[in-house]
Amino acid sequence: MKRTLIGDLKNHTGEEVSISGFVDVRRDHGKLIFFDIRDRSGKVQAVVLPNRAEAQEKAKELRAEWTVSFKAKVNERPEKMVNKEEENGAIEIEVLEIDVLSRAVELPFEKDQEVNIDTYLDNLPLTLRSEKSRAIFKVQAEIVRSFREFLTKENFTEFQAPKLIGEDAEGGANSFALKYFKSTAHLAQSPQLYKQIMVGVFERVFSVGNVYRAEKHSTTRHLNEYTSLDIEMGFIKDHKDVMELETKLLKFISGSLKEKCSKEFRLLGAEVPDVPEEIPSMKLREAQDLIKKETGKDKTSEPDLEPEDERWLCEWAKKDKGSDFIFITHFPTSKRPFYTYEDKEDPGYTKGGDLLFRGVEITTLAQRIHDYNELVAALKKKELDSDKFSFYLQAFKYGMPPHGGFGMGLERLTQKFLNLSNVKEATLFPRDINRIDNLLSDPGR
Amino acid sequence: MKRTLIGDLKNHTGEEVSISGFVDVRRDHGKLIFFDIRDRSGKVQAVVLPNRAEAQEKAKELRAEWTVSFKAKVNERPEKMVNKEEENGAIEIEVLEIDVLSRAVELPFEKDQEVNIDTYLDNLPLTLRSEKSRAIFKVQAEIVRSFREFLTKENFTEFQAPKLIGEDAEGGANSFALKYFKSTAHLAQSPQLYKQIMVGVFERVFSVGNVYRAEKHSTTRHLNEYTSLDIEMGFIKDHKDVMELETKLLKFISGSLKEKCSKEFRLLGAEVPDVPEEIPSMKLREAQDLIKKETGKDKTSEPDLEPEDERWLCEWAKKDKGSDFIFITHFPTSKRPFYTYEDKEDPGYTKGGDLLFRGVEITTLAQRIHDYNELVAALKKKELDSDKFSFYLQAFKYGMPPHGGFGMGLERLTQKFLNLSNVKEATLFPRDINRIDNLLSDPGR
């Protein structure tokens, strides 16, 4: 008999069906045996009546996480037994025959129990099965799906960026090196240089992939491997075109989440943010003036925002502008990468900035330098060796339009959408300085 | 004025528009200056008339790959001048004003010129702009897009697989190692173990991401970094469910390519294959018997297919069954990974196999072992240390349904769809033993 998904059972009342799934929990009530069964589409309670001797025999053995297939009859519940809160609260499943597909050992703790983060991470093959984790990663999958859908509609072409790179182009200690045959390679910290090259090919491109930061931290904010959502677009007027596109993109993602993940957001007690038609925007110096005026704290000569400033500005945007989002633009060129475009009308400051959301930065965006000679000069100014960038520089030698783009960390975005306290909860298999799945307890091997 | 895309110009005849793009080529015909301009949507010929002195001045300077914006009038061509072969053969673009956005140096060769593979790879920021390369990577993007669309419709959930792994679980010399703080990490050769873990979470999952093989070859078939399209599905009866899903998936991808990439296939002189309702399938031993009977070559005791066998079987399937595809199943367990399911009715042989397409293997698929004890025994049989697999094994301890899946290399798939001779032509920025963008000429650093 063809399998019926649990989410479809309500369309099969009165029928005999075949159901497959994981046993969530079993309860014995005298001669009645109840168990909850879940599959990818939902969960339902099944009952084995005393007159089904063989099925009862098997049902008595069932434990959490066993997988089973069974034949059952789908009955409507008597009106007074209907539970409108439950997804399948209007039906009851009467088990006829059970087939055990696989058994499980006794669980170290209940699947949906809250455990500390180390226990959670040590047991991911189990803890990821919890309702909460499943909801988080359903939301994450929908963020990526809708990100791609929007960009494809907007004529962006997806490309596969390499992660093995030769020189670590942007320098710095945060790069993982590896032996690559007779040479040394590095793991890419972003697809930045490649997405710019690709603007010369397709004008508008995006990429989704892992990037690497060799940061020696293990905090609620750090990951050594994460998924970067990257876009780059050509023939822009300036960074405002990028901000406008990002606003539309976030509106689209937020709309998709409302449509497809309301159940998950409800379960996690989170709310999908509304994205305004125009996200409030101010320059760094204006933001610092505002902070000074409102809080008395003088940060007007700082070259960057501190975490408390980001939080304050988000609270201000929410209260004063009704927005969960705020753009802060025009950071000093000295604090931004070599390829960032300087605002000729505001020398020393960049045409670009950060997007803040619920207290933290979720995107860095900018217009980029497109003129070959300016780019070579910018490398020199940062004391970078332009020979090491010769491959990348070809794109500019052979003509590049004005362009810009942004990158977002998928895990952080998921975390903030869902108000999770630790980015690792929004990362399937997080890597940090102490852990690659297992704790790294064996230094020096 | 808002930009009009070249692909939309035919809907704006008689209007004044603003066009932006790359100069493809310029031709002077006495007092008329012609240039071809391309943007992400297409290409068109523009003309600057002698009475536009300022525009003529600028147009005279234009060279290939300069980027420009210009105002123009879209005119219908007189009927006898209409060229039905060209995408914009029914209109002519009269340039009014030109704005040069960026210049380019003189090209080392014409963008669309055929060059040898090393020259091609040395100049990717330019050569990727050729019509041919753009068509290849448009097709590649559509393969990935339609792969995801089909699977999402079929209730698969996308997940982000880690690429930094602890132990190289499947052993072997083909793994890149790197220093990970005080430990050693490896680059994943596939997301196999993670996608199996994820079957316990979402039942049906897929993943798109880079994988790594430290193979010391530089051939037309090898890549050290490639993109793997991976799926895994739970609650299957056996490997035939996986074959059935893969057939439907390929039918869907092929349908999407016909619909959206016919221009690209035409340009590349390739044909989108028809995928039959049911792809022909035979066991390895049957295939070898057939080869013996038809060619006289006795390979009936070989444990695997050789490249010439794969080619022969594909030719046979095309001729005899009218199919570009053929499944070969039941390879010896000794030649397949530890997690592969043995056919109890055909001991020593696996419930799985390869999908061959146009002469080569494009997928390996199989049912996997789902019983914890069988899996531990299978590890032992391959002399692998089950302690090193303890994280993965948790998934099976805590209950796993019968499941299976497959992996496909995106670049090879693109190559075979388009009949390209070298897989590097279907890889944006290919890595091999000698090259990471630049030739690795500096051994030992």
Side-chain angles (χ1 to χ4, degrees):
Chain A
M1 196 188 288
K2 210 169 154 276
R3 178 182 180 192
T4 301
L5 290 178
I6 291 170
D8 291 336
L9 286 175
K10 40 184 157 319
N11 306 319
H12 293 271
T13 49
E15 295 174 29
E16 216 177 285
V17 295
S18 169
I19 299 174
S20 299
F22 292 80
V23 174
D24 228 54
V25 68
R26 196 202 69 206
R27 287 175 298 273
D28 296 358
H29 286 279
K31 287 183 177 157
L32 298 179
I33 304 177
F34 293 92
F35 61 91
D36 286 350
I37 181 93
R38 74 167 194 279
D39 69 13
R40 65 180 188 264
S41 69
K43 204 162 83 171
V44 71
Q45 179 181 278
V47 59
V48 193
L49 302 177
N51 62 344
R52 299 282 171 186
E54 207 177 319
Q56 277 245 336
E57 202 68 23
K58 286 189 180 166
K60 269 180 200 158
E61 274 197 283
L62 296 182
R63 295 288 181 279
E65 298 308 294
W66 287 30
T67 66
V68 293
S69 278
F70 57 92
K71 278 194 194 152
K73 218 180 135 211
V74 186
N75 298 319
E76 280 183 39
R77 287 195 195 176
E79 194 143 354
K80 62 177 182 182
M81 301 284 282
V82 169
N83 182 342
K84 287 188 178 163
E85 303 292 297
E86 267 177 47
E87 58 170 316
N88 281 312
I91 53 175
E92 50 183 27
I93 305 301
E94 186 190 331
V95 178
L96 308 176
E97 280 171 38
I98 299 182
D99 191 8
V100 173
L101 301 174
S102 66
R103 288 154 187 257
V105 301
E106 196 175 339
L107 305 188
F109 46 83
E110 275 184 44
K111 179 176 67 68
D112 288 302
Q113 189 181 316
E114 285 279 340
V115 291
N116 72 45
I117 186 79
D118 272 313
T119 305
Y120 168 81
L121 295 174
D122 285 341
N123 294 278
L124 284 173
L126 175 62
T127 52
L128 286 175
R129 298 183 187 183
S130 69
E131 278 202 315
K132 190 178 160 184
S133 291
R134 284 156 48 94
I136 292 168
F137 295 104
K138 270 287 174 197
V139 168
Q140 183 162 89
E142 181 54 28
I143 292 173
V144 183
R145 199 205 58 75
S146 53
F147 172 83
R148 291 198 189 99
E149 186 188 342
F150 174 81
L151 292 170
T152 303
K153 272 186 197 161
E154 292 284 329
N155 268 216
F156 283 73
T157 302
E158 184 170 9
F159 77 100
Q160 307 298 323
K163 309 295 177 285
L164 274 182
I165 56 171
E167 289 294 333
D168 173 40
E170 302 190 41
N174 282 342
S175 148
F176 288 109
L178 71 151
K179 194 167 175 301
Y180 187 79
F181 306 108
K182 289 178 177 167
S183 306
T184 300
H186 295 83
L187 296 183
Q189 296 186 48
S190 95
Q192 179 63 36
L193 307 191
Y194 293 98
K195 66 181 182 168
Q196 288 185 259
I197 291 172
M198 292 306 292
V199 165
V201 181
F202 288 128
E203 258 186 57
R204 300 184 144 204
V205 292
F206 71 97
S207 180
V208 174
N210 290 98
V211 294
Y212 300 88
R213 301 279 162 98
E215 292 182 342
K216 292 179 182 151
H217 306 289
S218 172
T219 74
T220 57
R221 290 182 297 117
H222 285 94
L223 292 170
N224 294 103
E225 175 180 57
Y226 70 90
T227 307
S228 188
L229 307 177
D230 271 275
I231 80 120
E232 198 76 16
M233 58 200 282
F235 296 103
I236 60 173
K237 219 179 125 279
D238 63 14
H239 62 292
K240 285 179 199 150
D241 286 350
V242 182
M243 288 160 66
E244 196 186 303
L245 183 101
E246 184 168 12
T247 304
K248 279 196 214 161
L249 167 67
L250 287 168
K251 254 187 120 59
F252 186 86
I253 292 176
S254 156
S256 295
L257 290 174
K258 280 180 191 170
E259 190 190 321
K260 302 200 175 158
C261 295
S262 58
K263 204 171 93 180
E264 284 76 12
F265 273 81
R266 205 159 47 241
L267 178 86
L268 296 163
E271 219 171 305
V272 184
D274 287 313
V275 182
E277 283 304 315
E278 197 173 341
I279 292 176
S281 169
M282 58 175 73
K283 292 184 178 182
L284 173 70
R285 293 304 180 212
E286 294 166 349
Q288 289 169 331
D289 286 343
L290 181 70
I291 290 171
K292 186 177 168 191
K293 194 180 124 209
E294 297 284 327
T295 73
K297 290 186 191 166
D298 185 357
K299 311 204 172 184
T300 52
S301 48
E302 295 295 329
D304 211 339
L305 293 172
E306 287 173 56
E308 63 163 11
D309 304 332
E310 295 183 341
R311 283 193 295 274
W312 189 90
L313 287 165
C314 284
E315 280 163 28
W316 176 84
K318 184 75 181 167
K319 232 175 19 209
D320 234 70
K321 304 282 176 183
S323 171
D324 282 304
F325 299 86
I326 179 171
F327 283 115
I328 307 296
T329 67
H330 291 78
F331 289 79
T333 50
S334 59
K335 297 297 282 184
R336 296 278 147 152
F338 71 89
Y339 46 75
T340 314
Y341 202 93
E342 185 174 12
D343 191 342
K344 269 92 181 175
E345 289 171 14
D346 202 348
Y349 295 93
T350 59
K351 284 202 159 191
D354 287 350
L355 176 62
L356 310 183
F357 171 50
R358 293 182 176 165
V360 299
E361 171 259 309
I362 55 162
T363 314
T364 299
L365 71 94
Q367 179 172 357
R368 330 288 186 185
I369 299 172
H370 61 277
D371 179 83
Y372 174 76
N373 294 316
E374 276 183 46
L375 197 53
V376 171
L379 281 164
K380 206 170 167 188
K381 204 169 164 189
K382 294 271 185 190
E383 293 175 7
L384 292 164
D385 178 359
S386 62
D387 281 352
K388 291 188 177 170
F389 293 83
S390 60
F391 185 76
Y392 165 71
L393 286 171
Q394 281 185 56
F396 301 85
K397 257 193 192 163
Y398 300 136
M400 277 286 270
H403 64 285
F406 59 83
M408 296 200 276
L410 173 62
E411 294 81 0
R412 183 183 284 187
L413 193 64
T414 310
Q415 178 199 0
K416 296 314 291 182
F417 264 121
L418 294 171
N419 288 319
L420 305 173
S421 58
N422 191 334
V423 71
K424 287 173 195 167
E425 292 178 76
T427 312
L428 271 176
F429 300 100
R431 274 74 180 107
D432 70 28
I433 186 170
N434 299 316
R435 176 184 292 277
I436 296 182
D437 297 330
N438 298 305
L439 272 175
L440 299 166
S441 53
D442 191 11
R445 69 182 155 164
Chain B
M1 196 188 287
K2 212 169 152 273
R3 176 182 180 191
T4 301
L5 290 177
I6 291 169
D8 291 335
L9 286 175
K10 42 184 154 315
N11 306 319
H12 293 272
T13 48
E15 294 173 31
E16 213 177 289
V17 296
S18 168
I19 299 174
S20 299
F22 292 80
V23 173
D24 227 54
V25 70
R26 198 203 66 205
R27 288 177 296 273
D28 296 358
H29 286 277
K31 286 180 179 164
L32 298 178
I33 304 177
F34 293 92
F35 60 91
D36 286 349
I37 181 94
R38 74 168 194 275
D39 69 11
R40 63 181 188 266
S41 70
K43 206 162 82 172
V44 71
Q45 178 181 279
V47 59
V48 194
L49 301 177
N51 61 343
R52 300 282 170 186
E54 208 176 320
Q56 278 245 338
E57 201 68 23
K58 286 189 182 167
K60 271 180 201 159
E61 274 198 282
L62 296 183
R63 295 289 181 280
E65 297 309 294
W66 287 32
T67 67
V68 292
S69 279
F70 58 91
K71 277 194 195 150
K73 217 180 136 213
V74 186
N75 298 320
E76 280 182 41
R77 286 195 195 177
E79 195 144 352
K80 60 177 183 181
M81 301 284 283
V82 168
N83 182 342
K84 286 188 177 163
E85 302 292 297
E86 267 178 47
E87 58 170 317
N88 282 311
I91 52 175
E92 49 184 26
I93 306 302
E94 185 190 334
V95 178
L96 308 175
E97 282 171 37
I98 299 182
D99 191 6
V100 173
L101 301 174
S102 65
R103 289 156 187 254
V105 300
E106 196 176 337
L107 306 189
F109 45 85
E110 273 185 47
K111 179 176 68 65
D112 289 301
Q113 188 181 318
E114 285 280 342
V115 292
N116 73 44
I117 186 79
D118 272 312
T119 304
Y120 169 80
L121 294 173
D122 285 341
N123 294 279
L124 285 173
L126 174 63
T127 52
L128 286 174
R129 297 181 187 184
S130 68
E131 278 202 315
K132 187 177 163 186
S133 291
R134 283 158 48 94
I136 292 169
F137 295 104
K138 271 286 174 195
V139 167
Q140 183 162 88
E142 182 53 27
I143 291 174
V144 184
R145 199 206 58 74
S146 54
F147 172 83
R148 291 199 189 97
E149 186 189 342
F150 174 81
L151 292 170
T152 303
K153 272 188 197 158
E154 292 284 329
N155 269 215
F156 283 73
T157 302
E158 183 170 9
F159 77 101
Q160 307 298 324
K163 309 294 177 285
L164 273 181
I165 57 171
E167 289 294 335
D168 173 40
E170 303 190 40
N174 282 343
S175 149
F176 288 109
L178 71 152
K179 194 166 178 298
Y180 187 79
F181 305 110
K182 289 178 176 167
S183 306
T184 300
H186 295 83
L187 297 183
Q189 296 186 48
S190 95
Q192 179 64 33
L193 307 191
Y194 292 97
K195 67 180 181 167
Q196 289 185 260
I197 291 172
M198 292 306 292
V199 166
V201 180
F202 288 128
E203 261 185 54
R204 299 182 146 205
V205 293
F206 71 97
S207 182
V208 175
N210 290 98
V211 294
Y212 301 88
R213 302 277 163 98
E215 292 180 344
K216 292 177 183 153
H217 306 287
S218 172
T219 74
T220 57
R221 289 180 297 118
H222 286 93
L223 293 170
N224 293 104
E225 175 179 57
Y226 70 90
T227 307
S228 186
L229 308 176
D230 269 276
I231 81 120
E232 197 76 16
M233 58 198 284
F235 296 104
I236 60 172
K237 219 181 126 276
D238 64 14
H239 63 291
K240 286 179 199 148
D241 285 351
V242 181
M243 288 159 65
E244 196 186 305
L245 183 101
E246 184 169 12
T247 304
K248 279 195 213 162
L249 167 66
L250 288 167
K251 253 185 120 59
F252 187 85
I253 292 176
S254 154
S256 295
L257 291 175
K258 280 180 191 172
E259 190 190 323
K260 302 198 175 160
C261 295
S262 57
K263 204 171 91 181
E264 285 76 11
F265 272 82
R266 204 161 45 240
L267 179 84
L268 295 163
E271 217 172 307
V272 184
D274 286 312
V275 183
E277 283 304 316
E278 197 174 340
I279 292 176
S281 169
M282 58 175 74
K283 293 184 179 182
L284 173 68
R285 293 305 180 211
E286 294 166 349
Q288 290 168 331
D289 286 344
L290 182 70
I291 291 171
K292 188 177 167 191
K293 194 180 124 212
E294 298 284 328
T295 72
K297 290 187 192 167
D298 186 358
K299 310 203 172 186
T300 52
S301 48
E302 294 297 325
D304 212 339
L305 292 172
E306 287 173 58
E308 63 162 10
D309 305 332
E310 296 182 343
R311 282 193 297 273
W312 189 89
L313 287 164
C314 284
E315 280 163 27
W316 176 85
K318 185 74 181 169
K319 226 170 27 201
D320 233 71
K321 304 282 177 185
S323 172
D324 281 305
F325 300 86
I326 178 170
F327 283 116
I328 307 296
T329 67
H330 290 77
F331 288 80
T333 50
S334 59
K335 296 298 283 183
R336 295 279 146 152
F338 71 88
Y339 46 74
T340 314
Y341 203 92
E342 184 175 11
D343 191 342
K344 268 92 182 176
E345 290 170 15
D346 202 348
Y349 295 92
T350 59
K351 282 200 159 191
D354 287 351
L355 177 62
L356 310 183
F357 170 50
R358 293 182 176 166
V360 300
E361 171 261 307
I362 56 162
T363 315
T364 299
L365 70 93
Q367 180 172 0
R368 329 290 185 184
I369 299 172
H370 61 277
D371 179 83
Y372 174 76
N373 294 318
E374 276 183 46
L375 197 53
V376 171
L379 281 164
K380 208 170 163 186
K381 205 168 163 188
K382 294 271 187 191
E383 293 175 6
L384 293 164
D385 178 359
S386 62
D387 281 352
K388 290 188 177 169
F389 292 84
S390 60
F391 185 77
Y392 166 70
L393 285 171
Q394 281 185 57
F396 301 85
K397 256 193 190 162
Y398 300 137
M400 274 288 268
H403 64 285
F406 59 84
M408 296 198 277
L410 173 62
E411 293 81 0
R412 183 183 286 190
L413 193 63
T414 310
Q415 179 198 359
K416 296 315 291 183
F417 264 120
L418 295 171
N419 288 320
L420 304 172
S421 58
N422 191 334
V423 72
K424 286 172 196 168
E425 291 179 77
T427 312
L428 271 176
F429 300 99
R431 274 76 179 104
D432 69 28
I433 187 170
N434 299 318
R435 178 184 292 277
I436 298 183
D437 297 331
N438 297 306
L439 272 176
L440 298 167
S441 52
D442 192 9
R445 63 181 161 172

